[in-house]
Coordinates of all heavy atoms in Angstrom, one line a residue:
M599 N -11.0 -22.4 31.7 CA -11.3 -21.1 31.4 C -10.3 -20.1 31.9 O -10.0 -19.1 31.3 CB -12.7 -20.7 31.9 CG -13.1 -19.4 31.6 SD -14.8 -19.4 31.1 CE -15.1 -17.7 30.9
A600 N -9.7 -20.4 33.1 CA -8.7 -19.5 33.6 C -7.5 -19.5 32.8 O -6.8 -18.5 32.6 CB -8.4 -19.9 35.1
A601 N -7.1 -20.6 32.2 CA -6.0 -20.7 31.3 C -6.2 -19.9 30.1 O -5.3 -19.2 29.6 CB -5.7 -22.2 30.9
A602 N -7.4 -19.9 29.5 CA -7.7 -19.0 28.3 C -7.6 -17.6 28.7 O -7.1 -16.8 27.9 CB -9.1 -19.3 27.8
Q603 N -8.1 -17.2 29.9 CA -7.9 -15.8 30.3 C -6.5 -15.4 30.5 O -6.1 -14.3 30.2 CB -8.8 -15.5 31.5 CG -10.2 -15.5 31.3 CD -11.0 -15.4 32.6 OE1 -10.5 -15.5 33.7 NE2 -12.3 -15.1 32.5
R604 N -5.7 -16.3 31.1 CA -4.3 -16.0 31.4 C -3.6 -15.9 30.0 O -2.7 -15.0 29.9 CB -3.7 -17.2 32.2 CG -3.0 -16.7 33.4 CD -2.4 -17.7 34.2 NE -3.4 -18.7 34.6 CZ -3.3 -20.0 34.6 NH1 -2.1 -20.5 34.3 NH2 -4.2 -20.8 35.0
S605 N -3.9 -16.8 29.1 CA -3.2 -16.7 27.8 C -3.6 -15.4 27.0 O -2.8 -14.8 26.4 CB -3.4 -17.9 27.0 OG -4.7 -18.0 26.5
A606 N -4.8 -15.0 27.2 CA -5.3 -13.7 26.5 C -4.6 -12.5 27.1 O -4.1 -11.6 26.5 CB -6.8 -13.6 26.6
G607 N -4.5 -12.6 28.5 CA -3.7 -11.5 29.2 C -2.3 -11.5 28.8 O -1.7 -10.4 28.6
T608 N -1.7 -12.7 28.7 CA -0.3 -12.8 28.3 C 0.0 -12.3 26.9 O 0.9 -11.6 26.6 CB 0.2 -14.2 28.5 OG1 0.0 -14.6 29.8 CG2 1.7 -14.3 28.1
T609 N -0.9 -12.6 26.0 CA -0.8 -12.2 24.6 C -1.0 -10.7 24.5 O -0.2 -10.0 23.8 CB -1.9 -12.9 23.8 OG1 -1.7 -14.3 23.9 CG2 -1.8 -12.4 22.3
F610 N -1.9 -10.1 25.3 CA -2.1 -8.7 25.3 C -0.9 -8.0 25.8 O -0.4 -7.0 25.2 CB -3.3 -8.3 26.2 CG -3.6 -6.9 26.3 CD1 -4.3 -6.2 25.3 CD2 -3.2 -6.1 27.4 CE1 -4.5 -4.8 25.4 CE2 -3.5 -4.8 27.5 CZ -4.2 -4.1 26.5
R611 N -0.3 -8.5 26.9 CA 0.9 -7.9 27.5 C 2.1 -8.0 26.5 O 2.8 -7.0 26.3 CB 1.2 -8.5 28.8 CG 2.4 -7.9 29.5 CD 2.6 -8.6 30.9 NE 2.5 -10.0 31.0 CZ 3.4 -10.9 30.7 NH1 4.6 -10.5 30.2 NH2 3.2 -12.2 30.8
R612 N 2.3 -9.1 25.9 CA 3.4 -9.3 25.0 C 3.2 -8.5 23.7 O 4.2 -8.0 23.2 CB 3.5 -10.8 24.6 CG 4.1 -11.6 25.7 CD 4.4 -13.0 25.2 NE 4.9 -13.8 26.3 CZ 5.0 -15.1 26.2 NH1 4.6 -15.8 25.2 NH2 5.5 -15.8 27.2
T613 N 2.0 -8.3 23.3 CA 1.7 -7.5 22.1 C 2.0 -6.0 22.4 O 2.5 -5.2 21.6 CB 0.3 -7.7 21.6 OG1 0.1 -9.0 21.4 CG2 0.0 -6.9 20.4
L614 N 1.6 -5.5 23.6 CA 1.8 -4.1 24.0 C 3.2 -3.8 24.5 O 3.6 -2.6 24.3 CB 0.7 -3.8 25.0 CG 0.4 -2.3 25.2 CD1 0.0 -1.7 23.9 CD2 -0.7 -2.1 26.2
L615 N 3.9 -4.7 25.1 CA 5.2 -4.4 25.7 C 6.3 -4.9 24.8 O 7.0 -5.9 25.1 CB 5.3 -5.0 27.1 CG 4.3 -4.5 28.1 CD1 4.5 -5.2 29.4 CD2 4.5 -3.0 28.3
N616 N 6.5 -4.3 23.6 CA 7.6 -4.6 22.8 C 8.1 -3.3 22.2 O 7.4 -2.3 22.3 CB 7.2 -5.6 21.7 CG 6.1 -5.2 20.8 OD1 6.2 -4.1 20.2 ND2 5.1 -6.0 20.6
P617 N 9.2 -3.3 21.5 CA 9.8 -2.0 21.1 C 8.9 -1.2 20.2 O 8.9 0.0 20.3 CB 11.1 -2.4 20.4 CG 11.5 -3.7 21.0 CD 10.2 -4.4 21.3
A618 N 8.2 -1.8 19.3 CA 7.4 -1.1 18.3 C 6.2 -0.4 19.0 O 6.0 0.8 18.8 CB 6.9 -2.0 17.2
A619 N 5.5 -1.1 19.8 CA 4.3 -0.5 20.5 C 4.8 0.5 21.5 O 4.2 1.6 21.6 CB 3.5 -1.6 21.2
L620 N 5.8 0.2 22.3 CA 6.3 1.2 23.3 C 6.9 2.5 22.6 O 6.7 3.6 23.1 CB 7.3 0.6 24.2 CG 6.7 -0.5 25.2 CD1 7.8 -1.1 26.0 CD2 5.6 0.1 26.1
G621 N 7.5 2.3 21.5 CA 8.1 3.4 20.7 C 6.9 4.3 20.2 O 7.0 5.6 20.3
Y622 N 5.9 3.7 19.7 CA 4.7 4.5 19.2 C 4.1 5.2 20.4 O 3.7 6.4 20.2 CB 3.7 3.5 18.5 CG 2.5 4.2 18.2 CD1 2.4 5.1 17.1 CD2 1.3 4.0 18.9 CE1 1.3 5.8 16.8 CE2 0.1 4.6 18.5 CZ 0.1 5.5 17.5 OH -1.0 6.2 17.2
L623 N 3.9 4.5 21.5 CA 3.3 5.2 22.6 C 4.1 6.3 23.2 O 3.6 7.4 23.6 CB 3.0 4.2 23.7 CG 1.8 3.2 23.4 CD1 1.7 2.2 24.5 CD2 0.5 3.9 23.2
A624 N 5.4 6.2 23.1 CA 6.3 7.3 23.5 C 6.2 8.5 22.5 O 6.2 9.6 23.0 CB 7.8 6.8 23.5
V625 N 6.0 8.2 21.2 CA 5.8 9.3 20.3 C 4.5 10.0 20.6 O 4.5 11.3 20.6 CB 5.9 8.8 18.8 CG1 5.4 9.8 17.9 CG2 7.3 8.4 18.5
V626 N 3.5 9.3 20.9 CA 2.2 9.9 21.2 C 2.3 10.7 22.5 O 1.8 11.8 22.5 CB 1.1 8.8 21.3 CG1 -0.2 9.4 21.9 CG2 0.8 8.1 20.0
A627 N 2.9 10.2 23.5 CA 3.1 10.9 24.7 C 3.9 12.2 24.5 O 3.6 13.3 25.0 CB 3.8 10.1 25.8
A628 N 5.0 12.1 23.7 CA 5.8 13.3 23.4 C 5.0 14.4 22.7 O 5.1 15.6 22.9 CB 7.0 12.9 22.6
V629 N 4.2 13.9 21.7 CA 3.3 14.9 21.0 C 2.3 15.6 22.0 O 2.2 16.8 21.9 CB 2.6 14.2 19.8 CG1 1.5 15.1 19.3 CG2 3.6 13.9 18.7
W630 N 1.7 14.8 22.9 CA 0.8 15.4 23.8 C 1.5 16.3 24.8 O 0.9 17.3 25.3 CB 0.0 14.4 24.5 CG -1.2 14.0 23.6 CD1 -1.2 12.9 22.7 CD2 -2.3 14.8 23.4 NE1 -2.4 13.0 22.0 CE2 -3.1 14.1 22.4 CE3 -2.9 16.0 23.9 CZ2 -4.3 14.6 21.9 CZ3 -4.1 16.4 23.4 CH2 -4.8 15.8 22.4
V631 N 2.7 16.0 25.2 CA 3.5 16.9 26.1 C 3.8 18.2 25.3 O 3.6 19.3 25.9 CB 4.8 16.3 26.5 CG1 5.8 17.3 27.1 CG2 4.5 15.2 27.6
W632 N 4.2 18.1 24.0 CA 4.4 19.3 23.2 C 3.1 20.1 23.1 O 3.2 21.4 23.2 CB 4.9 18.9 21.9 CG 5.0 20.0 20.9 CD1 5.9 21.1 20.9 CD2 4.2 20.2 19.7 NE1 5.6 21.9 19.9 CE2 4.6 21.4 19.1 CE3 3.2 19.5 19.2 CZ2 4.0 21.9 18.0 CZ3 2.6 19.9 18.0 CH2 3.0 21.1 17.4
I633 N 2.0 19.5 22.9 CA 0.7 20.2 22.8 C 0.4 20.9 24.1 O 0.0 22.1 24.1 CB -0.4 19.2 22.5 CG1 -0.3 18.7 21.1 CG2 -1.8 19.9 22.7 CD1 -1.2 17.6 20.7
G634 N 0.7 20.3 25.3 CA 0.5 20.9 26.5 C 1.4 22.1 26.8 O 0.9 23.2 27.2
V635 N 2.6 22.0 26.4 CA 3.6 23.1 26.5 C 3.2 24.2 25.6 O 3.2 25.4 26.1 CB 5.0 22.6 26.3 CG1 5.9 23.8 26.1 CG2 5.5 21.7 27.4
D636 N 2.8 23.9 24.4 CA 2.4 25.0 23.5 C 1.1 25.7 24.0 O 1.0 26.9 23.8 CB 2.2 24.4 22.1 CG 1.8 25.4 21.1 OD1 2.7 26.3 20.8 OD2 0.7 25.4 20.6
T637 N 0.2 24.9 24.5 CA -1.1 25.5 25.0 C -0.9 26.4 26.2 O -1.4 27.5 26.3 CB -2.1 24.4 25.2 OG1 -2.3 23.6 24.0 CG2 -3.4 25.0 25.7
L638 N -0.1 25.9 27.2 CA 0.0 26.5 28.4 C 1.1 27.6 28.5 O 0.9 28.6 29.3 CB 0.3 25.5 29.5 CG -0.9 24.5 29.7 CD1 -0.4 23.4 30.7 CD2 -2.1 25.2 30.2
L639 N 2.2 27.4 27.8 CA 3.3 28.3 28.0 C 3.7 29.2 26.9 O 4.4 30.2 27.0 CB 4.6 27.5 28.3 CG 4.5 26.5 29.5 CD1 5.7 25.7 29.7 CD2 4.2 27.3 30.8
V640 N 3.1 29.0 25.7 CA 3.5 29.8 24.5 C 2.3 30.7 24.2 O 1.2 30.3 24.1 CB 3.8 28.9 23.3 CG1 4.1 29.8 22.1 CG2 4.9 28.0 23.6
T641 N 2.6 32.0 24.1 CA 1.5 33.0 23.7 C 1.5 33.1 22.2 O 2.5 33.2 21.5 CB 1.8 34.3 24.4 OG1 3.1 34.8 23.9 CG2 1.8 34.3 25.9
H642 N 0.3 33.1 21.7 CA 0.1 33.2 20.3 C -0.8 34.4 20.0 O -1.8 34.7 20.7 CB -0.6 31.9 19.7 CG 0.1 30.7 19.9 ND1 1.1 30.3 19.1 CD2 0.0 29.7 20.9 CE1 1.6 29.1 19.5 NE2 1.0 28.7 20.6
A643 N -0.5 35.1 18.9 CA -1.4 36.2 18.5 C -2.7 35.6 17.9 O -3.7 36.3 17.9 CB -0.7 37.0 17.4
D644 N -2.6 34.4 17.4 CA -3.8 33.8 16.8 C -4.0 32.4 17.5 O -3.2 32.0 18.4 CB -3.5 33.6 15.3 CG -4.8 33.5 14.5 OD1 -5.9 33.5 15.1 OD2 -4.7 33.5 13.3
A645 N -4.9 31.6 17.1 CA -5.2 30.3 17.7 C -4.0 29.4 17.2 O -3.5 29.4 16.1 CB -6.5 29.8 17.2
S646 N -3.7 28.5 18.1 CA -2.6 27.5 17.8 C -3.3 26.2 17.3 O -4.4 25.8 17.7 CB -1.9 27.1 19.1 OG -1.0 26.1 18.8
M647 N -2.7 25.6 16.3 CA -3.2 24.4 15.7 C -2.5 23.2 16.2 O -2.5 22.1 15.7 CB -3.1 24.4 14.2 CG -4.0 25.5 13.5 SD -5.7 25.1 13.7 CE -5.9 23.7 12.7
A648 N -1.7 23.3 17.3 CA -1.0 22.2 17.9 C -1.8 21.0 18.3 O -1.4 19.9 18.2 CB -0.1 22.7 19.1
G649 N -3.0 21.3 18.8 CA -3.9 20.2 19.2 C -4.3 19.3 18.2 O -4.7 18.1 18.4
V650 N -4.2 19.7 16.9 CA -4.6 18.8 15.8 C -3.6 17.7 15.7 O -4.0 16.6 15.3 CB -4.7 19.6 14.5 CG1 -4.9 18.8 13.3 CG2 -5.7 20.7 14.6
W651 N -2.4 17.9 16.1 CA -1.4 16.8 15.9 C -1.7 15.6 16.8 O -1.3 14.5 16.5 CB 0.0 17.4 16.2 CG 0.5 18.2 15.1 CD1 0.5 19.6 15.0 CD2 1.0 17.7 13.8 NE1 1.0 19.9 13.8 CE2 1.3 18.8 13.0 CE3 1.2 16.4 13.3 CZ2 1.8 18.7 11.8 CZ3 1.7 16.3 12.0 CH2 2.0 17.4 11.3
G652 N -2.4 15.9 17.9 CA -2.8 14.7 18.8 C -3.7 13.8 18.1 O -3.7 12.6 18.3
F653 N -4.5 14.3 17.2 CA -5.4 13.5 16.4 C -4.7 12.9 15.2 O -4.9 11.7 14.8 CB -6.6 14.3 15.9 CG -7.6 14.6 17.0 CD1 -7.5 15.9 17.6 CD2 -8.5 13.7 17.5 CE1 -8.3 16.2 18.7 CE2 -9.4 14.1 18.5 CZ -9.2 15.3 19.1
F654 N -3.8 13.6 14.6 CA -3.0 13.1 13.5 C -2.1 11.9 13.9 O -2.0 10.9 13.1 CB -2.1 14.2 12.8 CG -2.9 15.1 12.0 CD1 -2.4 16.4 11.8 CD2 -4.1 14.8 11.4 CE1 -3.1 17.3 11.0 CE2 -4.8 15.7 10.6 CZ -4.3 17.0 10.4
V655 N -1.5 12.0 15.0 CA -0.6 10.9 15.4 C -1.3 9.6 15.8 O -0.7 8.6 15.8 CB 0.4 11.4 16.6 CG1 -0.3 11.4 17.9 CG2 1.6 10.6 16.7
T656 N -2.6 9.7 16.1 CA -3.4 8.5 16.4 C -4.4 8.2 15.3 O -5.3 7.4 15.5 CB -4.1 8.7 17.7 OG1 -4.9 9.8 17.7 CG2 -3.1 8.8 18.9
A657 N -4.3 8.8 14.2 CA -5.2 8.6 13.0 C -4.9 7.2 12.5 O -3.8 6.7 12.6 CB -5.0 9.7 12.0
P658 N -5.8 6.5 11.9 CA -7.2 6.9 11.5 C -8.2 6.5 12.6 O -9.3 6.9 12.5 CB -7.4 6.0 10.3 CG -6.6 4.8 10.5 CD -5.4 5.3 11.2
T659 N -7.7 5.8 13.7 CA -8.7 5.4 14.7 C -9.3 6.5 15.4 O -10.5 6.5 15.7 CB -8.0 4.4 15.7 OG1 -7.3 3.4 15.0 CG2 -9.0 3.8 16.6
S660 N -8.5 7.5 15.8 CA -9.1 8.7 16.5 C -10.1 9.5 15.7 O -11.0 10.1 16.2 CB -8.0 9.6 17.0 OG -7.3 10.2 15.9
F661 N -9.9 9.4 14.4 CA -10.9 10.2 13.5 C -12.3 9.6 13.5 O -13.2 10.3 13.2 CB -10.4 10.3 12.1 CG -9.2 11.2 11.9 CD1 -8.3 11.0 10.9 CD2 -9.0 12.3 12.7 CE1 -7.2 11.9 10.7 CE2 -8.0 13.1 12.6 CZ -7.1 12.9 11.5
L662 N -12.4 8.3 14.0 CA -13.7 7.7 14.0 C -14.6 8.4 15.1 O -15.8 8.4 15.1 CB -13.6 6.2 14.3 CG -12.9 5.4 13.2 CD1 -12.8 4.0 13.7 CD2 -13.7 5.5 11.9
L663 N -13.9 8.9 16.2 CA -14.6 9.5 17.3 C -14.5 11.0 17.4 O -15.0 11.6 18.4 CB -14.1 8.9 18.6 CG -14.3 7.4 18.7 CD1 -13.6 6.9 20.0 CD2 -15.7 7.0 18.7
V664 N -14.0 11.7 16.4 CA -13.7 13.1 16.5 C -15.0 13.9 16.4 O -15.0 15.0 16.9 CB -12.7 13.5 15.4 CG1 -13.4 13.6 14.0 CG2 -12.1 14.8 15.7
S665 N -16.0 13.4 15.8 CA -17.3 14.2 15.7 C -18.2 14.0 16.9 O -19.3 14.6 16.9 CB -18.0 13.8 14.4 OG -18.4 12.5 14.5
L666 N -17.8 13.2 17.9 CA -18.7 13.1 19.1 C -18.7 14.3 20.0 O -17.7 15.0 20.0 CB -18.2 11.8 19.8 CG -18.4 10.5 19.1 CD1 -17.8 9.4 19.9 CD2 -19.8 10.2 18.8
P667 N -19.7 14.5 20.7 CA -19.8 15.7 21.6 C -19.0 15.6 22.8 O -18.6 14.5 23.3 CB -21.3 15.8 21.9 CG -21.7 14.4 21.9 CD -21.0 13.7 20.8
G668 N -18.6 16.7 23.4 CA -18.0 16.8 24.7 C -16.5 16.3 24.7 O -15.8 16.5 23.7
P669 N -16.1 15.6 25.8 CA -14.7 15.1 25.8 C -14.5 13.8 25.1 O -13.4 13.3 25.2 CB -14.5 15.0 27.3 CG -15.9 14.7 27.9 CD -16.8 15.4 27.0
L670 N -15.5 13.3 24.5 CA -15.3 12.0 23.8 C -14.3 12.0 22.7 O -13.6 10.9 22.5 CB -16.7 11.5 23.3 CG -17.6 11.1 24.4 CD1 -19.0 10.6 23.8 CD2 -17.1 10.0 25.2
P671 N -14.0 13.0 22.0 CA -12.9 13.0 21.0 C -11.5 12.7 21.7 O -10.7 12.1 21.1 CB -12.9 14.4 20.4 CG -14.3 14.8 20.4 CD -14.8 14.3 21.8
L672 N -11.3 13.2 22.9 CA -10.1 12.9 23.6 C -10.0 11.4 24.0 O -8.9 10.8 24.0 CB -9.9 13.8 24.8 CG -9.8 15.3 24.5 CD1 -9.7 16.1 25.7 CD2 -8.6 15.5 23.6
V673 N -11.2 10.9 24.3 CA -11.2 9.4 24.6 C -10.9 8.7 23.3 O -10.2 7.6 23.3 CB -12.6 9.0 25.1 CG1 -12.8 7.5 25.2 CG2 -12.9 9.7 26.4
G674 N -11.3 9.2 22.2 CA -11.0 8.6 20.9 C -9.5 8.6 20.6 O -8.9 7.7 20.0
V675 N -8.8 9.7 21.1 CA -7.3 9.7 20.9 C -6.7 8.6 21.8 O -5.8 7.9 21.3 CB -6.8 11.1 21.3 CG1 -5.3 11.1 21.4 CG2 -7.3 12.1 20.3
A676 N -7.1 8.5 23.0 CA -6.6 7.4 23.9 C -6.9 6.0 23.3 O -6.0 5.2 23.3 CB -7.1 7.5 25.3
V677 N -8.1 5.8 22.8 CA -8.4 4.5 22.2 C -7.6 4.3 21.0 O -7.1 3.2 20.7 CB -10.0 4.4 22.0 CG1 -10.3 3.2 21.1 CG2 -10.7 4.4 23.3
G678 N -7.5 5.3 20.1 CA -6.7 5.2 18.9 C -5.3 4.9 19.2 O -4.7 4.1 18.5
A679 N -4.7 5.5 20.2 CA -3.3 5.2 20.5 C -3.2 3.7 21.0 O -2.2 3.0 20.6 CB -2.8 6.1 21.6
L680 N -4.1 3.3 21.8 CA -4.0 1.9 22.3 C -4.2 0.9 21.1 O -3.5 -0.1 21.0 CB -5.1 1.7 23.4 CG -5.1 0.3 24.0 CD1 -3.8 0.0 24.7 CD2 -6.2 0.2 25.0
V681 N -5.2 1.1 20.3 CA -5.5 0.2 19.2 C -4.3 0.2 18.2 O -3.9 -0.9 17.8 CB -6.8 0.7 18.4 CG1 -6.9 0.0 17.1 CG2 -8.0 0.4 19.3
Q682 N -3.7 1.3 17.9 CA -2.6 1.3 17.0 C -1.3 0.7 17.6 O -0.5 0.1 16.9 CB -2.4 2.7 16.5 CG -3.7 3.2 16.0 CD -3.7 4.0 14.8 OE1 -4.6 3.7 14.0 NE2 -2.9 5.0 14.6
A683 N -1.1 0.9 18.9 CA 0.0 0.3 19.6 C -0.2 -1.2 19.6 O 0.8 -1.9 19.3 CB 0.1 0.8 21.0
L684 N -1.4 -1.7 19.8 CA -1.6 -3.1 19.7 C -1.4 -3.7 18.3 O -0.8 -4.7 18.1 CB -3.0 -3.5 20.1 CG -3.3 -3.4 21.6 CD1 -4.8 -3.5 21.9 CD2 -2.5 -4.4 22.4
A685 N -1.8 -2.9 17.3 CA -1.5 -3.3 15.9 C -0.1 -3.4 15.6 O 0.4 -4.3 14.9 CB -2.3 -2.4 14.9
L686 N 0.7 -2.3 16.0 CA 2.1 -2.3 15.7 C 2.8 -3.4 16.5 O 3.7 -4.1 16.0 CB 2.7 -1.0 16.1 CG 2.4 0.2 15.2 CD1 2.9 1.5 15.8 CD2 3.2 -0.1 13.9
G687 N 2.4 -3.7 17.7 CA 2.9 -4.7 18.5 C 2.7 -6.1 17.9 O 3.6 -7.0 17.9
A688 N 1.5 -6.3 17.4 CA 1.2 -7.6 16.7 C 2.0 -7.8 15.5 O 2.5 -8.9 15.2 CB -0.3 -7.7 16.4
A689 N 2.2 -6.7 14.7 CA 3.0 -6.8 13.5 C 4.5 -7.1 13.9 O 5.1 -7.8 13.2 CB 2.9 -5.5 12.7
Y690 N 4.9 -6.4 15.0 CA 6.3 -6.7 15.4 C 6.5 -8.1 15.9 O 7.5 -8.8 15.5 CB 6.6 -5.7 16.6 CG 8.0 -5.9 17.1 CD1 9.1 -5.3 16.5 CD2 8.2 -6.7 18.3 CE1 10.4 -5.5 17.1 CE2 9.5 -6.9 18.8 CZ 10.6 -6.3 18.2 OH 11.8 -6.5 18.7
R691 N 5.5 -8.6 16.6 CA 5.6 -10.0 17.1 C 5.5 -11.0 15.9 O 6.2 -12.0 15.8 CB 4.5 -10.4 18.0 CG 4.7 -9.8 19.4 CD 3.7 -10.3 20.4 NE 3.9 -11.8 20.5 CZ 3.0 -12.6 20.9 NH1 1.8 -12.2 21.1 NH2 3.2 -13.9 21.0
W692 N 4.7 -10.7 14.9 CA 4.6 -11.5 13.7 C 5.9 -11.5 12.9 O 6.4 -12.5 12.5 CB 3.5 -11.0 12.8 CG 3.4 -11.8 11.5 CD1 2.8 -13.1 11.4 CD2 3.9 -11.5 10.3 NE1 2.9 -13.5 10.1 CE2 3.6 -12.5 9.4 CE3 4.6 -10.4 9.8 CZ2 4.0 -12.5 8.0 CZ3 5.0 -10.3 8.4 CH2 4.7 -11.4 7.6
A693 N 6.5 -10.3 12.8 CA 7.8 -10.2 12.0 C 9.0 -10.8 12.7 O 9.9 -11.3 12.0 CB 8.0 -8.7 11.7
T694 N 9.0 -10.8 14.0 CA 10.2 -11.3 14.7 C 9.9 -12.6 15.4 O 10.9 -13.2 15.9 CB 10.6 -10.3 15.8 OG1 9.6 -10.1 16.7 CG2 11.0 -9.0 15.2
G695 N 8.7 -13.1 15.4 CA 8.4 -14.3 16.2 C 8.6 -15.6 15.5 O 8.7 -16.7 16.1
R696 N 8.7 -15.6 14.2 CA 8.9 -16.9 13.4 C 10.4 -17.3 13.5 O 11.3 -16.5 13.4 CB 8.5 -16.7 12.0 CG 7.0 -16.5 11.8 CD 6.6 -16.4 10.4 NE 7.1 -15.1 9.9 CZ 7.2 -14.8 8.6 NH1 6.9 -15.6 7.7 NH2 7.6 -13.6 8.3
P697 N 10.6 -18.6 13.6 CA 12.0 -19.1 13.5 C 12.6 -18.8 12.1 O 11.9 -18.9 11.1 CB 11.9 -20.6 13.7 CG 10.5 -20.8 14.3 CD 9.7 -19.6 13.9
R698 N 13.8 -18.4 12.1 CA 14.5 -18.1 10.8 C 14.8 -19.4 10.0 O 15.1 -20.5 10.6 CB 15.9 -17.5 11.1 CG 15.7 -16.2 11.9 CD 15.4 -15.0 11.1 NE 15.4 -13.8 11.9 CZ 14.5 -12.9 11.8 NH1 13.5 -13.0 11.0 NH2 14.5 -11.9 12.6
G699 N 14.6 -19.3 8.7 CA 15.0 -20.4 7.9 C 13.9 -21.5 7.7 O 14.1 -22.4 6.9
Q700 N 12.7 -21.3 8.3 CA 11.7 -22.3 8.1 C 10.6 -21.9 7.1 O 9.7 -22.6 6.9 CB 11.0 -22.7 9.4 CG 12.0 -23.4 10.4 CD 11.3 -23.8 11.6 OE1 10.1 -23.7 11.8 NE2 12.0 -24.4 12.5
G701 N 10.8 -20.7 6.5 CA 9.8 -20.2 5.6 C 9.9 -20.8 4.2 O 9.0 -20.8 3.5
R702 N 11.1 -21.3 3.8 CA 11.3 -21.8 2.5 C 11.8 -23.2 2.6 O 12.5 -23.6 3.5 CB 12.4 -21.0 1.7 CG 12.0 -19.6 1.4 CD 13.1 -19.0 0.6 NE 12.7 -17.6 0.3 CZ 13.4 -16.9 -0.6 NH1 14.4 -17.4 -1.2 NH2 13.0 -15.7 -0.9
A703 N 11.5 -24.0 1.5 CA 12.0 -25.3 1.5 C 13.4 -25.3 0.9 O 13.8 -24.5 0.1 CB 11.1 -26.2 0.5
S704 N 14.2 -26.2 1.4 CA 15.6 -26.3 1.0 C 15.7 -27.0 -0.3 O 15.1 -28.1 -0.4 CB 16.5 -26.9 2.1 OG 17.8 -27.1 1.7
H705 N 16.5 -26.5 -1.2 CA 16.7 -27.2 -2.5 C 18.1 -27.8 -2.5 O 19.0 -27.2 -3.0 CB 16.5 -26.2 -3.7 CG 15.1 -25.7 -3.8 ND1 14.0 -26.4 -4.1 CD2 14.6 -24.4 -3.5 CE1 12.9 -25.7 -4.1 NE2 13.3 -24.5 -3.8
A706 N 18.2 -28.9 -2.0 CA 19.6 -29.5 -1.9 C 19.9 -30.5 -3.0 O 19.1 -31.1 -3.6 CB 19.8 -30.2 -0.6

C-alpha cells in the first residue's frame, strides 16, 4: 500500500511540476498580482472589473463555485487553478511521454 501511495504522490508531483502546468500557474499568479495592484493602488471613478479576470483565467472550474456564499468563490478559484494545472500537466506528460516512432507500424 505504501508503494501505491508513493506512486500516486510521484504521479501528482510529475503532473504538476512540468512546464505546461507551471506556466499556467504563473499566468494565474500574475493575473492575481495585477488584480491586487489594480484594487489597492489604482483609483477608479467607477468600480473596477479587474477581479473578474481571476475567475476567467481559471474557468470553467472556478465557475462551478462562483455562486456559493462568502469566501467560497475564492476557494473555487484556487481549486480551479489546481485542477486545470493538473489537466494541463497530464496533457503535457501524455504528449511528451511516449517514445518517438512507436506510434506507427513500419512499412518496409
Side-chain angles (χ1 to χ4, degrees):
M599 180 140 176
Q603 289 176 346
R604 231 178 307 137
S605 69
T608 301
T609 302
F610 180 78
R611 183 175 41 83
R612 285 185 182 169
T613 303
L614 197 57
L615 297 179
N616 62 51
L620 290 176
Y622 173 73
L623 289 175
V625 168
V626 170
V629 166
W630 278 99
V631 166
W632 172 68
I633 291 169
V635 167
D636 184 65
T637 302
L638 298 174
L639 303 177
V640 178
T641 58
H642 298 281
D644 207 353
S646 174
M647 294 295 289
V650 175
W651 285 101
F653 291 95
F654 285 154
V655 78
T656 57
T659 309
S660 64
F661 287 153
L662 297 174
L663 300 174
V664 77
S665 64
L666 296 176
L670 290 178
L672 294 177
V673 172
V675 169
V677 168
L680 183 63
V681 166
Q682 310 220 135
L684 287 172
L686 284 170
Y690 178 83
R691 284 191 64 208
W692 177 81
T694 61
R696 293 183 288 164
R698 305 275 185 222
Q700 293 185 3
R702 292 184 180 192
S704 176
H705 298 290

